[in-house]
Amino acid sequence: MTDWVPVGARLRCGHHTLDLSRPCVMGILNVTPDSFSDGGRHDRLDDARRHAERLLRDGAAIIDVGGESTRPGAEAVPLDVERDRVLPVVDMLVREFDALVSVDTSTPELIGEIAEAGAGLINDVRSLTRPGALEAAAATELPVCLMHMLGEPRTMQQAPSYERPVEIAVADFLRERVAACEAAGIARDRLLLDPGFGFAKTLGHNLQLLNRLQSLASLGLPLLVGMSRKSMIGQTLGRPVDERLPGGLALAVMAVERGARIVRVHDVAPTVDAIDMAWAVLQERPASGTEQS
Ligand code: 7PM
């Protein structure tokens, strides 16, 4: 076992500071063409603005912008396409809402550009493994979320298997990526870890990873989890994607109880209530200012 290391309470994200002494919610803003209107660029920006307004009003601390579909089976997206989808949205979110924006990207060329546009966090499902990504991220001075995945989204769900318990394999992978980041000049206190639910994992792997999330918490870095609407809920409960919220709330609460500090979801308002309630129990007191008679 790794010795317990206290997780830093505050994370500098560009000109924002994220308070990680308690759990918070990251709202998902998809800007892939399959997610919103297929209209022109203006329509897409309008959709993103309306959606972001709602996420922030509902209590999201971070907005996660994704321009490359990372879903299982997805094809890679060319740089120009990803840039055109992501940059105008990041720019709008920063200028109009002064939001703390994270960007779901693995593309070294884009990492510098989104930082320049005012993004506060790099969320790379490939953990900065693309050539040049470590150096690009280091230069931004932004924090990075490192996520576990094996292979590429296009092929990762073809019979994933692990020789050791999945949480051990995930912890080893993340430990190696933390070392690679430190060697590239990205300080440990700029890193977040994510087990990558649904990425190269069977249902059994996903359930085991969540139940044993504490073994990842022992790496001593803040944990981010994303299970919202994922197939681990669909497969367990037999629910289509639009009926997975109750299952997702149960997973969010369990993740917080096991040490997760950022919960990445589509449904922000109910998740904020669920994790605030769970956190009040864990602290044995309500969050300051929220107590009602
Ligand atoms: C289809 C299936 C579309 C799955 C999109 C997805 C994570 C992430 C994603 C996560 C972090 C989604 C996923 N999942 N980033 N990006 N952690 N850090 O549900 O679990 O949005 S893409």
Side-chain angles (χ1 to χ4, degrees):
M1 271 298 281
T2 316
D3 285 336
W4 173 255
V5 183
V7 169
R10 299 178 84 72
L11 184 67
R12 292 283 309 157
C13 303
H15 71 282
H16 288 273
T17 301
L18 191 61
D19 177 11
L20 292 178
S21 65
R22 45 153 302 142
C24 67
V25 169
M26 169 186 270
I28 299 169
L29 181 65
N30 272 321
V31 294
T32 45
D34 43 300
S35 50
F36 278 104
S37 81
D38 282 329
R41 194 193 178 101
H42 183 77
D43 287 1
R44 290 214 309 269
L45 206 55
D46 248 21
D47 284 339
R49 181 182 291 108
R50 260 192 300 274
H51 190 193
E53 227 159 9
R54 169 80 191 273
L55 296 172
L56 292 168
R57 189 174 0 107
D58 287 349
I62 310 165
I63 297 188
D64 189 45
V65 177
E68 186 214 10
S69 189
T70 40
R71 77 179 57 215
E75 293 289 341
V77 172
L79 170 62
D80 294 2
V81 174
E82 193 190 356
R83 178 191 280 128
D84 283 357
R85 285 179 191 164
V86 166
L87 266 187
V89 175
V90 173
D91 192 64
M92 177 271 293
L93 294 172
V94 170
R95 283 173 195 272
E96 296 184 25
F97 300 97
D98 191 28
L100 170 43
V101 178
S102 82
V103 182
D104 212 325
T105 188
S106 306
T107 313
E109 294 86 340
L110 207 60
I111 287 173
E113 295 175 24
I114 58 121
E116 203 58 34
L121 179 67
I122 299 159
N123 175 25
D124 182 6
V125 300
R126 293 180 187 77
S127 286
L128 305 178
T129 52
R130 285 206 176 148
L134 281 166
E135 295 76 10
T140 66
E141 298 186 9
L142 294 179
V144 180
C145 177
L146 301 173
M147 195 195 81
H148 175 269
M149 165 166 63
L150 279 185
E152 278 287 308
R154 199 169 53 78
T155 53
M156 67 186 176
Q157 286 304 92
Q158 294 164 7
S161 87
Y162 296 89
E163 283 173 13
R164 289 168 306 151
V166 65
E167 73 280 7
I168 306 284
V170 168
D172 283 353
F173 171 89
L174 291 174
R175 213 180 278 113
E176 187 276 323
R177 295 315 298 160
V178 169
C181 284
E182 289 189 284
I186 304 173
R188 227 185 131 75
D189 64 6
R190 276 169 64 191
L191 299 174
L192 301 162
L193 303 179
D194 182 336
F197 290 101
F199 287 85
K201 282 140 196 123
T202 63
L203 173 60
H205 293 144
N206 289 314
L207 299 175
Q208 184 172 326
L209 259 181
L210 177 56
N211 194 37
R212 304 181 188 182
L213 194 67
Q214 262 149 338
S215 69
L216 289 180
S218 72
L219 293 178
L221 294 173
L223 297 181
L224 186 157
V225 296
M227 296 178 280
S228 181
R229 301 184 187 172
K230 282 187 180 174
S231 69
M232 63 187 288
I233 306 168
Q235 289 176 309
T236 301
L237 302 178
R239 301 288 184 204
V241 72
D242 59 340
E243 294 175 14
R244 296 179 185 172
L245 177 57
L249 295 176
L251 299 180
V253 165
M254 293 190 74
V256 163
E257 193 173 16
R258 287 160 174 71
R261 286 301 161 90
I262 304 178
V263 184
R264 180 182 178 277
V265 297
H266 302 85
D267 306 284
V268 171
T271 306
V272 167
D273 270 5
I275 70 170
D276 282 356
M277 194 67 235
W279 189 245
V281 174
L282 292 169
Q283 299 300 295
E284 303 182 3
R285 61 184 155 79
S288 51
T290 62
E291 201 171 1
Q292 305 289 308
S293 51

CSV table of all heavy atoms in Angstrom, one decimal, residues 228-262:
chain,number,residue,atom,x,y,z
A,228,SER,N,-21.6,9.2,-16.0
A,228,SER,CA,-22.9,9.7,-16.4
A,228,SER,C,-23.4,9.0,-17.6
A,228,SER,O,-22.7,9.0,-18.7
A,228,SER,CB,-22.7,11.2,-16.6
A,228,SER,OG,-24.0,11.8,-17.0
A,229,ARG,N,-24.6,8.4,-17.5
A,229,ARG,CA,-25.3,7.8,-18.7
A,229,ARG,C,-24.5,6.7,-19.4
A,229,ARG,O,-24.9,6.2,-20.4
A,229,ARG,CB,-25.7,8.9,-19.7
A,229,ARG,CG,-26.5,10.0,-19.2
A,229,ARG,CD,-26.9,10.9,-20.3
A,229,ARG,NE,-27.6,12.1,-19.8
A,229,ARG,CZ,-28.0,13.2,-20.5
A,229,ARG,NH1,-27.7,13.2,-21.8
A,229,ARG,NH2,-28.6,14.2,-19.9
A,230,LYS,N,-23.5,6.2,-18.8
A,230,LYS,CA,-22.6,5.2,-19.4
A,230,LYS,C,-23.3,3.8,-19.4
A,230,LYS,O,-24.2,3.5,-18.6
A,230,LYS,CB,-21.2,5.1,-18.8
A,230,LYS,CG,-20.4,6.3,-19.4
A,230,LYS,CD,-18.9,6.3,-18.9
A,230,LYS,CE,-18.2,7.5,-19.5
A,230,LYS,NZ,-16.8,7.6,-19.0
A,231,SER,N,-22.7,2.9,-20.2
A,231,SER,CA,-23.3,1.6,-20.4
A,231,SER,C,-23.2,0.7,-19.1
A,231,SER,O,-24.0,-0.2,-19.0
A,231,SER,CB,-22.7,0.9,-21.6
A,231,SER,OG,-21.3,0.5,-21.3
A,232,MET,N,-22.3,1.1,-18.2
A,232,MET,CA,-22.3,0.3,-17.0
A,232,MET,C,-23.6,0.4,-16.2
A,232,MET,O,-24.1,-0.5,-15.5
A,232,MET,CB,-21.1,0.7,-16.0
A,232,MET,CG,-21.1,2.1,-15.5
A,232,MET,SD,-19.6,2.6,-14.6
A,232,MET,CE,-19.8,1.7,-13.1
A,233,ILE,N,-24.3,1.5,-16.4
A,233,ILE,CA,-25.7,1.7,-15.9
A,233,ILE,C,-26.7,1.0,-16.7
A,233,ILE,O,-27.5,0.2,-16.2
A,233,ILE,CB,-26.1,3.2,-15.8
A,233,ILE,CG1,-25.0,4.0,-15.0
A,233,ILE,CG2,-27.5,3.4,-15.2
A,233,ILE,CD1,-25.2,5.5,-15.1
A,234,GLY,N,-26.6,1.2,-18.0
A,234,GLY,CA,-27.5,0.6,-19.0
A,234,GLY,C,-27.5,-1.0,-18.9
A,234,GLY,O,-28.5,-1.6,-18.8
A,235,GLN,N,-26.3,-1.5,-18.8
A,235,GLN,CA,-26.1,-3.0,-18.7
A,235,GLN,C,-26.6,-3.5,-17.4
A,235,GLN,O,-27.2,-4.6,-17.3
A,235,GLN,CB,-24.7,-3.4,-18.9
A,235,GLN,CG,-24.2,-3.2,-20.4
A,235,GLN,CD,-22.7,-3.5,-20.5
A,235,GLN,OE1,-21.9,-3.0,-19.7
A,235,GLN,NE2,-22.4,-4.3,-21.5
A,236,THR,N,-26.4,-2.8,-16.3
A,236,THR,CA,-26.8,-3.3,-15.0
A,236,THR,C,-28.3,-3.2,-14.8
A,236,THR,O,-28.9,-4.2,-14.3
A,236,THR,CB,-26.1,-2.5,-13.9
A,236,THR,OG1,-24.7,-2.6,-14.0
A,236,THR,CG2,-26.5,-3.0,-12.5
A,237,LEU,N,-28.9,-2.1,-15.2
A,237,LEU,CA,-30.3,-1.9,-15.0
A,237,LEU,C,-31.2,-2.2,-16.2
A,237,LEU,O,-32.4,-2.2,-16.0
A,237,LEU,CB,-30.5,-0.5,-14.5
A,237,LEU,CG,-29.7,0.0,-13.3
A,237,LEU,CD1,-30.0,1.5,-12.9
A,237,LEU,CD2,-30.1,-0.9,-12.0
A,238,GLY,N,-30.6,-2.4,-17.3
A,238,GLY,CA,-31.4,-2.6,-18.5
A,238,GLY,C,-32.2,-1.3,-18.9
A,238,GLY,O,-33.3,-1.3,-19.3
A,239,ARG,N,-31.5,-0.2,-18.8
A,239,ARG,CA,-32.1,1.1,-19.1
A,239,ARG,C,-31.5,1.7,-20.3
A,239,ARG,O,-30.3,1.7,-20.5
A,239,ARG,CB,-31.9,2.1,-18.0
A,239,ARG,CG,-32.4,1.7,-16.6
A,239,ARG,CD,-33.9,1.8,-16.6
A,239,ARG,NE,-34.4,1.4,-15.3
A,239,ARG,CZ,-35.6,1.0,-15.0
A,239,ARG,NH1,-36.5,0.7,-16.1
A,239,ARG,NH2,-36.0,0.7,-13.8
A,240,PRO,N,-32.3,2.4,-21.2
A,240,PRO,CA,-31.8,3.1,-22.3
A,240,PRO,C,-31.1,4.4,-21.8
A,240,PRO,O,-31.3,4.8,-20.6
A,240,PRO,CB,-33.0,3.5,-23.2
A,240,PRO,CG,-34.2,3.4,-22.2
A,240,PRO,CD,-33.8,2.4,-21.2
A,241,VAL,N,-30.4,5.1,-22.7
A,241,VAL,CA,-29.5,6.2,-22.2
A,241,VAL,C,-30.3,7.3,-21.5
A,241,VAL,O,-29.8,8.0,-20.6
A,241,VAL,CB,-28.6,6.7,-23.4
A,241,VAL,CG1,-29.4,7.4,-24.4
A,241,VAL,CG2,-27.4,7.5,-22.9
A,242,ASP,N,-31.5,7.5,-21.9
A,242,ASP,CA,-32.3,8.6,-21.3
A,242,ASP,C,-33.0,8.2,-20.0
A,242,ASP,O,-33.7,9.0,-19.4
A,242,ASP,CB,-33.3,9.2,-22.3
A,242,ASP,CG,-34.3,8.2,-22.8
A,242,ASP,OD1,-34.0,7.0,-22.7
A,242,ASP,OD2,-35.4,8.6,-23.3
A,243,GLU,N,-32.7,7.0,-19.5
A,243,GLU,CA,-33.3,6.6,-18.3
A,243,GLU,C,-32.3,6.1,-17.3
A,243,GLU,O,-32.5,5.3,-16.4
A,243,GLU,CB,-34.3,5.5,-18.5
A,243,GLU,CG,-35.5,5.9,-19.3
A,243,GLU,CD,-36.5,4.7,-19.7
A,243,GLU,OE1,-36.4,3.7,-19.0
A,243,GLU,OE2,-37.3,4.9,-20.5
A,244,ARG,N,-31.1,6.7,-17.4
A,244,ARG,CA,-30.0,6.3,-16.5
A,244,ARG,C,-29.6,7.2,-15.4
A,244,ARG,O,-28.7,7.0,-14.7
A,244,ARG,CB,-28.7,6.0,-17.4
A,244,ARG,CG,-28.9,4.9,-18.4
A,244,ARG,CD,-27.7,4.6,-19.3
A,244,ARG,NE,-28.1,3.6,-20.3
A,244,ARG,CZ,-27.3,3.3,-21.3
A,244,ARG,NH1,-26.1,3.9,-21.4
A,244,ARG,NH2,-27.7,2.4,-22.1
A,245,LEU,N,-30.4,8.3,-15.2
A,245,LEU,CA,-30.1,9.3,-14.2
A,245,LEU,C,-30.1,8.7,-12.7
A,245,LEU,O,-29.1,8.9,-12.0
A,245,LEU,CB,-31.0,10.5,-14.3
A,245,LEU,CG,-30.8,11.6,-13.2
A,245,LEU,CD1,-29.3,12.1,-13.1
A,245,LEU,CD2,-31.7,12.8,-13.4
A,246,PRO,N,-31.2,7.9,-12.3
A,246,PRO,CA,-31.1,7.4,-11.0
A,246,PRO,C,-29.9,6.5,-10.7
A,246,PRO,O,-29.2,6.6,-9.7
A,246,PRO,CB,-32.5,6.6,-10.8
A,246,PRO,CG,-33.4,7.3,-11.8
A,246,PRO,CD,-32.5,7.7,-13.0
A,247,GLY,N,-29.6,5.7,-11.7
A,247,GLY,CA,-28.4,4.8,-11.6
A,247,GLY,C,-27.2,5.7,-11.5
A,247,GLY,O,-26.3,5.4,-10.7
A,248,GLY,N,-27.1,6.7,-12.3
A,248,GLY,CA,-25.9,7.6,-12.3
A,248,GLY,C,-25.8,8.3,-10.9
A,248,GLY,O,-24.6,8.6,-10.5
A,249,LEU,N,-26.9,8.7,-10.3
A,249,LEU,CA,-26.8,9.4,-9.0
A,249,LEU,C,-26.2,8.4,-7.9
A,249,LEU,O,-25.4,8.8,-7.1
A,249,LEU,CB,-28.1,9.9,-8.6
A,249,LEU,CG,-28.7,11.0,-9.5
A,249,LEU,CD1,-30.1,11.4,-9.0
A,249,LEU,CD2,-27.8,12.3,-9.5
A,250,ALA,N,-26.7,7.2,-8.0
A,250,ALA,CA,-26.1,6.2,-7.0
A,250,ALA,C,-24.6,6.1,-7.2
A,250,ALA,O,-23.9,6.1,-6.3
A,250,ALA,CB,-26.8,4.8,-7.3
A,251,LEU,N,-24.2,6.0,-8.5
A,251,LEU,CA,-22.7,5.9,-8.8
A,251,LEU,C,-22.0,7.1,-8.3
A,251,LEU,O,-20.9,7.0,-7.7
A,251,LEU,CB,-22.5,5.6,-10.2
A,251,LEU,CG,-23.1,4.4,-10.8
A,251,LEU,CD1,-22.8,4.3,-12.3
A,251,LEU,CD2,-22.7,3.1,-10.1
A,252,ALA,N,-22.5,8.3,-8.5
A,252,ALA,CA,-21.9,9.6,-8.1
A,252,ALA,C,-21.7,9.6,-6.6
A,252,ALA,O,-20.6,9.9,-6.1
A,252,ALA,CB,-22.7,10.8,-8.6
A,253,VAL,N,-22.7,9.2,-5.9
A,253,VAL,CA,-22.6,9.2,-4.4
A,253,VAL,C,-21.6,8.2,-3.9
A,253,VAL,O,-20.8,8.5,-3.0
A,253,VAL,CB,-24.0,8.9,-3.8
A,253,VAL,CG1,-23.9,8.5,-2.3
A,253,VAL,CG2,-25.0,10.1,-4.0
A,254,MET,N,-21.6,7.0,-4.5
A,254,MET,CA,-20.6,6.0,-4.1
A,254,MET,C,-19.2,6.5,-4.4
A,254,MET,O,-18.3,6.2,-3.6
A,254,MET,CB,-20.9,4.7,-4.8
A,254,MET,CG,-22.2,4.1,-4.3
A,254,MET,SD,-22.5,2.4,-4.9
A,254,MET,CE,-21.3,1.5,-3.9
A,255,ALA,N,-19.0,7.1,-5.6
A,255,ALA,CA,-17.7,7.6,-5.9
A,255,ALA,C,-17.2,8.7,-4.9
A,255,ALA,O,-16.0,8.7,-4.5
A,255,ALA,CB,-17.7,8.2,-7.3
A,256,VAL,N,-18.1,9.6,-4.5
A,256,VAL,CA,-17.7,10.6,-3.5
A,256,VAL,C,-17.4,10.0,-2.2
A,256,VAL,O,-16.4,10.3,-1.5
A,256,VAL,CB,-18.9,11.6,-3.4
A,256,VAL,CG1,-18.8,12.5,-2.1
A,256,VAL,CG2,-18.9,12.5,-4.6
A,257,GLU,N,-18.2,9.0,-1.8
A,257,GLU,CA,-17.9,8.3,-0.5
A,257,GLU,C,-16.5,7.6,-0.6
A,257,GLU,O,-15.9,7.5,0.5
A,257,GLU,CB,-19.0,7.2,-0.3
A,257,GLU,CG,-19.0,6.7,1.1
A,257,GLU,CD,-20.1,5.8,1.5
A,257,GLU,OE1,-20.8,5.4,0.5
A,257,GLU,OE2,-20.4,5.6,2.6
A,258,ARG,N,-16.1,7.2,-1.7
A,258,ARG,CA,-14.8,6.6,-1.9
A,258,ARG,C,-13.7,7.5,-2.3
A,258,ARG,O,-12.6,7.1,-2.7
A,258,ARG,CB,-14.9,5.4,-2.9
A,258,ARG,CG,-15.7,4.2,-2.4
A,258,ARG,CD,-16.2,3.4,-3.5
A,258,ARG,NE,-16.8,2.1,-3.0
A,258,ARG,CZ,-18.0,2.1,-2.4
A,258,ARG,NH1,-18.6,3.2,-2.2
A,258,ARG,NH2,-18.5,0.9,-2.0
A,259,GLY,N,-13.9,8.8,-2.2
A,259,GLY,CA,-12.8,9.8,-2.3
A,259,GLY,C,-12.8,10.6,-3.6
A,259,GLY,O,-11.9,11.5,-3.7
A,260,ALA,N,-13.8,10.4,-4.5
A,260,ALA,CA,-13.8,11.3,-5.8
A,260,ALA,C,-14.0,12.7,-5.4
A,260,ALA,O,-14.9,13.0,-4.6
A,260,ALA,CB,-14.8,10.8,-6.8
A,261,ARG,N,-13.3,13.6,-6.1
A,261,ARG,CA,-13.5,15.1,-5.8
A,261,ARG,C,-14.2,15.8,-7.0
A,261,ARG,O,-14.7,16.9,-6.8
A,261,ARG,CB,-12.2,15.7,-5.4
A,261,ARG,CG,-11.8,15.3,-4.0
A,261,ARG,CD,-12.8,15.7,-3.0
A,261,ARG,NE,-12.7,15.1,-1.7
A,261,ARG,CZ,-12.0,15.5,-0.7
A,261,ARG,NH1,-11.3,16.6,-0.8
A,261,ARG,NH2,-12.0,14.8,0.5
A,262,ILE,N,-14.1,15.2,-8.2
A,262,ILE,CA,-14.8,15.9,-9.3
A,262,ILE,C,-15.6,14.8,-10.0
A,262,ILE,O,-15.1,13.7,-10.3
A,262,ILE,CB,-13.8,16.5,-10.3
A,262,ILE,CG1,-12.9,17.5,-9.6
A,262,ILE,CG2,-14.6,17.1,-11.5
A,262,ILE,CD1,-11.8,18.1,-10.6
